[in-house]
Amino acid sequence: MRLLVVEDDPDLSEQLVDALRDAGYAVDLTGDGEEAQFLGDTEPYDAVVLDLGLPNVDGMTVLERWRDNGRVMPVVILTARDRWSDKVAGFDAGADDYLAKPFRVEELLARLRAVIRRTGGHASPVIECGPLSIDTRASRVTVDGNPVKLTGQEYRLLAYMAHNLGKVMSRTELTEHLYDQDFDLDSNTIEVFIGRLRRKLGADVIETVRGLGYRMAEPGDGE
Ligand code: CA
């Protein structure tokens, strides 16, 4: 999952980026409203953490413009302001959730997990797919109840695909959602990780759709 963090406070933004990367997210950071708007309009983020008080363009305006432009990624607003009217304005501008500063990073992580899984149509934090079970709270994976040890990269790929069950995803799309802007990626990397996941989880877990990409079938799809 790839996130955009928009926060102009240098200490807080560093702390956020560290915590989110530790939690397994690819993260792009900007402290500028104008750049934020451009990135959100052009990059495929799985969620955005958006501060409201920003240089050049304020966060509320950035959010309104994204929604006007048809950008649907979930947005969690961060703000020092905790007045009810700001919360209402934020939700009306298109925010999905709200966190008042100061906050615990654990709470932000939980809120991000929730908005991301709802975007994928998952009500539960545990995603089941045939014999496979993925607990997104603990990054734990089991096959037929037996724990499987995955590397961080393997887990990120699996979690992204599992959040999009049934959807065919190209290598480009997978790359864009798993790595941040500055990552220089070999075009075969995704293929390598798909191969490793198949070895660890069973060859049937990920289907190759010739010429298009990969897919994790929804249970009941009839493989
Ligand atoms: Ca600020």
Side-chain angles (χ1 to χ4, degrees):
M1 301 286 163
R2 181 173 167 203
L3 307 179
L4 174 63
V5 173
V6 187
E7 170 59 66
D8 61 327
D9 178 298
D11 293 336
L12 180 57
S13 64
E14 195 189 323
Q15 190 196 333
L16 284 177
V17 170
D18 286 351
L20 293 168
R21 288 195 176 137
D22 282 351
Y25 294 102
V27 184
D28 293 343
L29 169 71
T30 178
D32 178 271
E34 208 173 314
E35 191 187 9
Q37 197 207 318
F38 175 75
L39 288 171
D41 273 340
T42 52
E43 298 290 329
Y45 294 110
D46 296 297
V48 177
V49 178
L50 178 66
D51 182 31
L52 290 185
L54 296 170
N56 290 323
V57 184
D58 70 273
M60 203 77 85
T61 305
V62 170
L63 177 56
E64 279 168 355
R65 288 180 184 166
W66 282 338
R67 296 317 190 208
D68 283 348
N69 294 340
R71 306 299 286 172
V72 297
M73 67 284 190
V75 174
V76 178
I77 283 181
L78 297 183
T79 177
R81 290 171 282 178
D82 196 19
R83 299 207 315 264
W84 68 267
S85 55
D86 289 320
K87 296 181 195 172
V88 171
F91 282 118
D92 282 345
D96 298 274
D97 206 348
Y98 185 101
L99 206 49
K101 295 175 187 172
F103 56 86
R104 299 280 308 192
V105 160
E106 290 81 359
E107 184 176 354
L108 175 62
L109 291 171
R111 288 178 184 275
L112 284 169
R113 285 195 297 273
V115 294
I116 289 170
R117 75 170 179 255
R118 283 201 297 265
T119 306
H122 302 282
S124 162
V126 181
I127 300 174
E128 311 273 357
C129 180
L132 190 66
S133 170
I134 301 160
D135 186 338
T136 59
R137 293 162 300 189
S139 308
R140 244 197 324 258
V141 177
T142 60
V143 176
D144 290 323
N146 302 311
V148 180
K149 207 165 164 38
L150 298 181
T151 65
Q153 300 236 52
E154 290 163 2
Y155 177 80
R156 280 159 59 172
L157 175 58
L158 180 70
Y160 181 73
M161 296 193 78
H163 274 88
N164 294 282
L165 285 183
K167 191 180 163 209
V168 178
M169 286 163 280
S170 67
R171 273 188 288 181
T172 309
E173 175 180 349
L174 291 169
T175 305
E176 282 175 346
H177 284 274
L178 294 171
Y179 298 96
D180 59 49
Q181 232 185 349
D182 304 322
F183 200 87
D184 191 13
L185 195 78
D186 185 281
S187 65
N188 291 321
T189 304
I190 294 293
E191 234 175 302
V192 170
F193 285 117
I194 295 270
R196 289 186 193 166
L197 285 174
R198 281 175 172 153
R199 278 197 293 281
K200 289 186 178 184
L201 305 173
D204 296 342
V205 163
I206 298 165
E207 185 189 338
T208 299
V209 182
R210 194 181 292 257
L212 295 175
Y214 302 100
R215 188 173 92 111
M216 267 176 82
E218 282 179 277
D221 257 6
E223 294 164 18

